[in-house]
Amino acid sequence: MGIRQNISKVSRFVLSNSLGTMVDTLVLWACSCFVFRGYGYVGEYLVSPLVSFECAVLVNYLCSWYFIWRDRAKRYPRTFFVRKYFLYNLSATGAFLLKMAFLLLFERLFGWNVVVCNLVALCISGIVNFVMGEWVIFRKYKY
């Protein structure tokens, strides 16, 4: 794969994840303000973020399938929601946990603001998430 194709794929990945972040934020706001508002801490701080995270994962997966790795994905339509989505969800969950670990680590080590820690941690977890998509979830099979 050429350097232009790699740059194009990474650019699409960044756009896809930006869309996922917007969906996550919008769904979190809607759930915490309207859907689970009267359910206390559990509804607002546990259930709402879980629902918004899963909505963002679904959006990112659809973008990955149709926009980023479509050349690989179209060869395996039966695995769309069976194996691939399960692996993608596991990968996204792992990337989220990694992001949280780095966020807390950077806050401990450097005392940075949470937003700065989050942005740096997102860069690290984003690289891991891209590598998982490229080499594990949507890997190119040799026949």
Side-chain angles (χ1 to χ4, degrees), residues 106 112-121:
F106 294 146
W112 295 340
N113 178 284
V114 68
V115 174
V116 174
C117 293
N118 188 57
L119 289 173
V120 176

Side-chain angles (χ1 to χ4, degrees), residues 1 9 69 72 130-136 138-139:
M1 177 181 286
K9 191 175 287 185
W69 289 286
R72 299 176 190 177
F130 179 81
V131 167
M132 289 297 292
E134 178 72 15
W135 293 335
V136 177
F138 299 105
R139 71 181 176 267

Side-chain angles (χ1 to χ4, degrees), residues 3 13 23 42 53 58 71-72 90 93-95 108 111 119 142:
I3 190 110
F13 181 81
V23 167
V42 171
F53 174 74
L58 180 61
D71 58 323
R72 299 176 190 177
L90 283 177
T93 301
R108 266 288 169 196
L119 289 173
K142 295 181 183 181

Side-chain angles (χ1 to χ4, degrees), residues 31-51:
C31 283
S32 64
C33 289
F34 302 111
V35 179
F36 299 108
R37 185 177 185 150
Y39 293 91
Y41 182 84
V42 171
E44 287 186 54
Y45 289 93
L46 297 177
V47 177
S48 294
L50 179 63
V51 170

Side-chain angles (χ1 to χ4, degrees), residues 69-83:
W69 289 286
R70 68 179 168 263
D71 58 323
R72 299 176 190 177
K74 69 182 177 185
R75 300 180 82 189
Y76 310 102
R78 290 186 182 169
T79 64
F80 181 76
F81 275 114
V82 180
R83 283 191 350 228

Side-chain angles (χ1 to χ4, degrees), residues 65-105:
W65 187 271
Y66 290 109
F67 185 57
I68 301 169
W69 289 286
R70 68 179 168 263
D71 58 323
R72 299 176 190 177
K74 69 182 177 185
R75 300 180 82 189
Y76 310 102
R78 290 186 182 169
T79 64
F80 181 76
F81 275 114
V82 180
R83 283 191 350 228
K84 299 290 184 188
Y85 183 68
F86 178 74
L87 286 173
Y88 189 87
N89 206 333
L90 283 177
S91 174
T93 301
F96 174 77
L97 294 174
L98 182 68
K99 179 200 83 149
M100 290 304 297
F102 274 109
L103 184 148
L104 296 172
L105 178 69

Side-chain angles (χ1 to χ4, degrees), residues 7-17 67-68 70:
I7 291 172
S8 175
K9 191 175 287 185
V10 169
S11 298
R12 290 186 306 238
F13 181 81
V14 169
L15 284 172
S16 165
N17 281 296
F67 185 57
I68 301 169
R70 68 179 168 263

